[in-house]
Amino acid sequence: MLDIKFIIENREAVEKSIAMRHVTADLDAVIAAYDRFRETKQALEEKQAEANQVAKTISKADPAERPALIERGSALKAETSTLGEKLAGYEAEFQELMLTVPNTLPDDTPEGKDDQANIEIRKFMEPPRVNFKQKDHIELGKSLDLIDFEGGAKVAGAKFYFLKNEAVLLEMALQHFAFKKAIERGFIPLQTPDLARNDVLQGAGFAPRGNESNTYRIEDQDLSLVATAEIPVGGLHANEILPEEALPLRYVAWSHCFRTEAGAAGQASKGLYRVHQFSKVELYAFTTPEQSAAVHEEMLELEESIYQDLKIPYRVVRICAGDLGAPAWKKYDIEAWMPGKGENGEYGEITSASNCTDFQARRLNVRYKDKASGKNRFVHTLNGTAIAMSRTPIAILENYQTDRGTVIVPEVLRPVMGIDEIFPKNGAVADATQKAAG
RNA sequence: GGAGGGGUGGCAGAGCGGUUGAAUGCACCGGUCUUGAAAACCGGCAUGGGGGCAACUCCAUCGUGGGUUCGAAUCCCACCCCCUCCGCCA
C-alpha cells in the first residue's frame, strides 16, 4: 500500500505506474474517498472534543447544573455515534480503493504487458547441444521412479504428488545446500508456520479471498495455508519498530507453499512446474530505504551463485512493468534451461527477487527508528527465491540426464545425497509390491 | 479440550468510573560537576492523525472488537495471546 499523501503529491508517477502495469486504479476516486473520509473524521473529532469538554465539566459542576450538562452529553453521544458509523463506512471504501493502487516504478523499468517483454540481462552457460532425445522430468520421474503423480492424485487430487526414492534425498540436499550458502552470507535460518492469519496474508499483499485469490483457506478459522514463506516472514515483525542497527535483517526461510492455481489448467503446467503444494527456501530482508537496492542485488547474486554451483544454464531477466506484482517496485527472475519444456527446451522461471520498497512494510506496519532524525520510518522489504523444490528438480533432472537414461547428481549435492547417479528402477518396485501383495 | 491467573509506554511495574496519556524505577537523550569516565544532580523522553508560519492545540490509542455511562486503563460481553495445572499427543 502506498501513502495517500504520497499519491496526492506524486500523482504523475503513480498514474504512470498504473498505466505501465496495465492495471486499473482510479486515483480521482481514491482521492475523493480520502477527502470524504478526512472531512467526516474532522467533523467527528470536533464533536468528540466537545463531548470530552462536557464530560470534564460535569465532575466539577454544581449539582444543580448537572442534569443539563448530562443531557447535552447524551445528545453529543448520539451525534458522535452516527458520525462514527458514517466514518467507518467511508474508511472501508477508502481502504478498498487504496488496495487497487500498485507500487511505483523505477525510471528504467522495461515497458510491456506480460512476460514476453521481460528483458534478458545476462546468461550463464549455453543450453548444451546433445545428440540424444532428452526426456522431460515427467518421463524421467517415471523411469527413475522419483515422482508419483498418480499416487498424489489418488490421495489429494490432481497436481499433488509423492516424491520418492532419490527425489526425496535430492530435495533434502537442495535445502541443505541453499541454507548453507545463505547462512554463510549472514541470512538467519527459519522454518515458518505453514498457516497464517488472513490479515498477515493481506499485509504481505496476498488476497485471502476473492476471484484472484490463489490461497487455500481453513474453514471456520481466520487462517490460510501460506503460498510462500514470504507471508509468515513478512508478518514476523508486523507492528514492530526495529532498531536501525538490526538492519539489514536477512532471513532464509523454509516453508511449504500451497496454491490453488484455480484456472491454471491450460498454462504451462506439466508435471511439477505448477502444482498445489511444494516446498521452497525463500530469502527475505528488512532494510532501510538506503540499503534496499544493494540488498536486492546481493540477493540476486546469491541466487545466481546457487545455480552456478549447480551448473544449470540460466538467464537473468528484468521483469517488465506489466509482469510485476502490485507490491514489487523492481524484480528480477532467474530462468533455468529446461530441456523438457516446450518443443525443444525453453527457459523456465525458477527464482525471483523483488524489492517491494515500503509498499509491503506500510501494510504490515514494520518500521525502524532512524537514528539521525529520531523518526520512525517504514522499512523496505525484499524477497527472493533461493530454491523452489518443484522447479529446481525439474532443471536438475532434465539437464543432468544421460543417454543411458540415468541422471548424474550435481557435484555439490553429492556429499549430502550420498550418491553420484540415479538409475532406472526397471519395475523393481512394482515387482516388490506384487510380491508383498502375493 | 477442561480449570485457574494474566496482557498497561523501549523494558520493569503502579493505577477508588471523573484534573491518568497514564505514578515510580531502569534504559535512552541533553546539561552541570570531573583531567577523563563513573556516581550524583538538573532537564527531556509514547505512537498515529488533524489544524496552525509558529508558540501551540485538538482527536485516537492501556491485547483486539463490541457494550454500559455525560465520562472507561478501571465495569460487562466476545475473541486473540501468554503463564500454571489436568487431559490428549509427535
Side-chain angles (χ1 to χ4, degrees), chain A residues 20-221:
Chain A
M20 281 183 75
R21 289 169 186 263
H22 297 87
V23 296
T24 40
D26 182 349
L27 292 192
D28 284 328
V30 174
I31 293 167
Y34 174 64
D35 287 340
R36 198 158 52 232
F37 162 70
R38 199 172 42 112
E39 280 160 20
T40 309
K41 191 170 180 193
Q42 278 169 1
L44 173 64
E45 284 183 1
E46 275 173 38
K47 292 292 174 195
Q48 283 173 326
E50 197 182 339
N52 288 345
Q53 215 37 54
V54 171
K56 220 178 258 181
T57 320
I58 289 175
S59 60
K60 327 175 221 186
D62 197 273
E65 294 169 354
R66 287 197 180 193
L69 286 167
I70 287 172
E71 196 177 322
R72 177 69 190 135
S74 256
L76 282 165
K77 188 163 101 167
E79 288 179 58
T80 55
S81 158
T82 312
L83 269 173
E85 278 169 36
K86 224 165 129 186
L87 182 68
Y90 289 157
E91 182 168 18
E93 280 172 33
F94 167 56
Q95 292 296 339
E96 189 90 354
L97 286 165
M98 283 296 280
L99 296 182
T100 64
V101 183
N103 204 347
T104 54
L105 296 168
D107 291 337
D108 65 349
T109 306
E111 292 194 45
K113 70 172 181 356
D114 57 31
D115 58 0
Q116 294 302 305
N118 293 340
I119 309 279
E120 177 179 313
I121 54 180
R122 61 179 163 267
K123 249 179 169 167
F124 172 75
M125 292 170 59
E126 284 297 322
R129 290 193 185 78
V130 298
N131 50 14
F132 65 96
K133 173 73 183 149
Q134 289 178 302
K135 299 173 179 171
D136 66 23
H137 72 280
I138 302 173
E139 288 176 69
L140 289 165
K142 210 166 273 176
S143 60
L144 304 178
D145 199 18
L146 298 177
I147 311 166
D148 183 353
F149 287 103
E150 289 75 21
K154 188 172 173 181
V155 168
K159 292 179 193 254
F160 284 96
Y161 53 93
F162 284 81
L163 293 183
K164 198 172 168 187
N165 295 317
E166 292 90 339
V168 176
L169 298 179
L170 177 64
E171 157 144 3
M172 293 194 296
L174 282 169
Q175 272 180 41
H176 183 266
F177 172 65
F179 265 96
K180 195 161 167 259
K181 292 205 66 142
I183 290 166
E184 275 166 11
R185 287 164 206 238
F187 287 74
I188 299 163
L190 289 175
Q191 288 191 358
T192 79
D194 284 338
L195 283 77
R197 294 195 149 86
N198 289 324
D199 62 315
V200 175
L201 292 247
Q202 224 147 37
F206 290 77
R209 52 184 71 86
N211 294 336
E212 74 289 5
S213 176
N214 199 10
T215 60
Y216 288 98
R217 292 175 59 200
I218 304 296
E219 196 179 2
D220 296 332
Q221 299 207 44

